[in-house]
Amino acid sequence: MLSTVSCNSGGPALPPLAFKGPSSFAADPPWRPADAGAVQRRRAHSKLRIANFLTCSGSPGIWGPAAINGVLLAASEINKRGGILGREIEVTMLDAGGPIGDVVRRAKEAIAFDEVDVIMGSHISAVRVALREVTRGRVPYVYTPVYEGGERTPGVMAIGETPRWQSRPAIHWLADVKKASRWYLIGSDYVWPWQSHRAVKNYIRETGGQVVGEEFVPLGEDNHEPHLARIRAAKPDVVLTSLIGTDSITFNRAFGECGLAATTLRLAGAMDETVLLGIGADNSENLFCASGYFPGFGSRANDDFQNRYRATFGPNAPPIGSLGQSSYEGFRFLEAVANKAGTLSMGPMLAAARNVVYGGARGSIAVRNGHARMPMYLAEADGLDFKLIKPI
């Protein structure tokens, strides 16, 4: 059985660990390695060095344990198949929480001194915006979680759900089936909620609905009484939440405890069973979530994935929902792209990534012309689990 590890939150990186919707990205970007000598040294390594930035602290840190397990499981399975292009994967875990300047410094050190071949990440978009300037023209950067869409930076390959395919059909369903017309938007104060809300407002207008309030909450805020008072005064039919991790837990707990859950619907786009466990069954009434993955989805690919996860990490391992599964799937995507390109050089990899098929817990995902078409589902909280309503 593999054991989990903790992310490194400061100082030198952990010792390298060796183990035996749609998104889009730039097509044919002009790029030039900043240090050709470093590129040659990377190619000379027998192992494929990957620096994986996972958030293990701060509000999104609640997803860290499952994300780490997803990485370890994927690396182990790929290495048992002979690695990527014959090179055994060697993963270094780094914490993407804390001050962004510290995360950027760790990324620069990983590229310059550890001579990593690939940067991967499951963290908030604010970190991605900073890291893409570090990786640009140097090493490929695979970004896995749900995000706001529109990433075009040369070398960045973002594969997570985006509002067009995640939020839009859920909004239309709530308008058609639940007759929702009044919407209140509340999100964490950074780039993903900012940009997602811009798109969401258009989708609400498409249904004839209106936004009756919007606010952004600083990361780490746990006093939600002022927000709940404004929501109560606005009398929305639906509160769309773009809050992250523990911030989503404290908000939704308070939402239920003050009695709003009985009368007001909620729709979330960055929520999984780990967050739902924190919210609690008593506070999850009328709570909906749109996502590209739910652990309870019945398919052979997902059943096999969940069985392998439990066999590897034990029955009491943290539930691996959409965020943790995205870390697993990022490695499967990298494997497929590298195998198609026949190299880990950035140009050929980006060309291969525009049209490729890769697998994961969701089965086969096809990327065509740079856009991934993935299954998307709407679910409703049912106690401490999500009950699937329909594909969307």
Side-chain angles (χ1 to χ4, degrees):
M1 179 181 294
L2 292 177
S3 60
T4 61
V5 298
S6 296
C7 280
N8 179 40
S9 60
L14 285 173
L17 303 170
F19 292 93
K20 301 231 189 256
S23 53
S24 58
F25 33 85
D28 300 301
W31 69 279
R32 183 184 302 278
D35 181 351
V39 172
Q40 293 301 322
R41 290 193 297 273
R42 291 186 186 103
R43 291 174 180 170
H45 294 313
S46 61
K47 294 183 178 180
L48 179 61
R49 297 180 175 182
I50 299 176
N52 202 298
F53 285 82
L54 304 173
T55 306
C56 300
S57 58
S59 299
I62 191 172
W63 289 308
I68 290 172
N69 285 356
V71 168
L72 297 181
L73 182 60
S76 175
E77 292 176 350
I78 292 171
N79 282 341
K80 286 178 181 176
R81 294 194 289 270
I84 293 180
L85 300 181
R87 295 170 66 182
E88 182 185 36
I89 293 172
E90 182 179 86
V91 182
T92 302
M93 304 284 189
L94 300 118
D95 187 13
I100 290 180
D102 291 347
V103 181
V104 168
R105 174 181 55 78
R106 294 183 200 121
K108 288 179 178 178
E109 291 172 352
I111 294 171
F113 302 115
D114 298 335
E115 297 178 355
V116 298
D117 300 282
V118 179
I119 297 287
M120 300 190 73
S122 179
H123 44 70
I124 65 173
S125 288
V127 172
R128 187 194 80 252
V129 170
L131 288 188
R132 68 190 184 188
E133 299 307 314
V134 178
T135 63
R136 184 192 294 264
R138 292 176 174 83
V139 295
Y141 176 18
V142 179
Y143 183 70
T144 68
V146 54
Y147 85 116
E148 65 278 4
E151 178 59 74
R152 295 290 188 276
T153 305
V156 179
M157 291 168 276
I159 63 171
E161 300 97 322
T162 57
R164 171 66 178 82
W165 302 101
Q166 179 186 27
S167 300
R168 186 173 185 245
I171 289 168
H172 277 260
W173 186 88
L174 287 171
D176 293 341
V177 176
K178 299 294 186 178
K179 308 305 178 186
S181 63
R182 295 172 60 82
W183 295 75
Y184 197 103
L185 315 181
I186 182 168
S188 298
D189 194 8
Y190 75 97
V191 63
W192 172 63
W194 299 339
Q195 298 298 328
S196 295
H197 285 192
R198 290 180 61 185
V200 159
K201 290 174 186 177
N202 291 329
Y203 309 148
I204 290 171
R205 281 194 291 268
E206 290 174 355
T207 69
Q210 61 176 319
V211 175
V212 297
E214 179 182 24
E215 57 186 300
F216 297 100
V217 181
L219 288 169
E221 176 64 69
D222 60 5
N223 177 17
H224 298 291
E225 290 183 8
H227 316 134
L228 295 172
R230 287 189 285 271
I231 290 170
R232 192 184 296 276
K235 298 180 180 179
D237 300 313
V238 184
V239 175
L240 184 144
T241 66
S242 305
L243 297 162
I244 290 295
T246 54
D247 296 355
S248 179
I249 290 174
T250 57
F251 172 81
N252 281 289
R253 276 182 185 169
F255 194 95
E257 289 169 356
C258 77
L260 279 169
T263 60
T264 309
L265 306 177
R266 285 167 286 173
L267 174 63
M271 185 177 289
D272 64 0
E273 284 68 14
T274 301
V275 173
L276 193 57
L277 284 170
I279 294 170
D282 292 342
N283 300 313
S284 63
E285 184 179 4
N286 287 319
L287 175 59
F288 296 84
C289 179
S291 178
Y293 177 75
F294 290 98
F297 173 68
S299 72
R300 177 174 295 180
N302 188 43
D303 290 345
D304 288 347
F305 172 75
Q306 290 290 334
N307 288 337
R308 296 195 309 274
Y309 182 80
R310 286 189 292 268
T312 302
F313 301 108
N316 298 318
I320 187 162
S322 59
L323 276 297
Q325 195 278 145
S326 81
S327 294
Y328 174 88
E329 195 170 279
F331 277 76
R332 298 293 301 272
F333 170 79
L334 176 66
E335 178 187 33
V337 169
N339 286 341
K340 181 178 180 181
T343 177
L344 288 161
S345 296
M346 192 181 302
M349 282 188 65
L350 290 173
R354 285 191 57 77
N355 292 280
V356 70
V357 176
Y358 64 97
R362 298 182 289 181
S364 295
I365 305 296
V367 180
R368 295 290 179 258
N369 296 319
H371 297 276
R373 289 294 182 263
M374 61 188 69
M376 205 70 66
Y377 305 95
L378 180 66
E380 183 175 6
D382 182 16
L384 297 179
D385 295 301
F386 280 110
K387 177 178 66 178
L388 296 184
I389 295 174
K390 59 174 295 185
I392 54 175

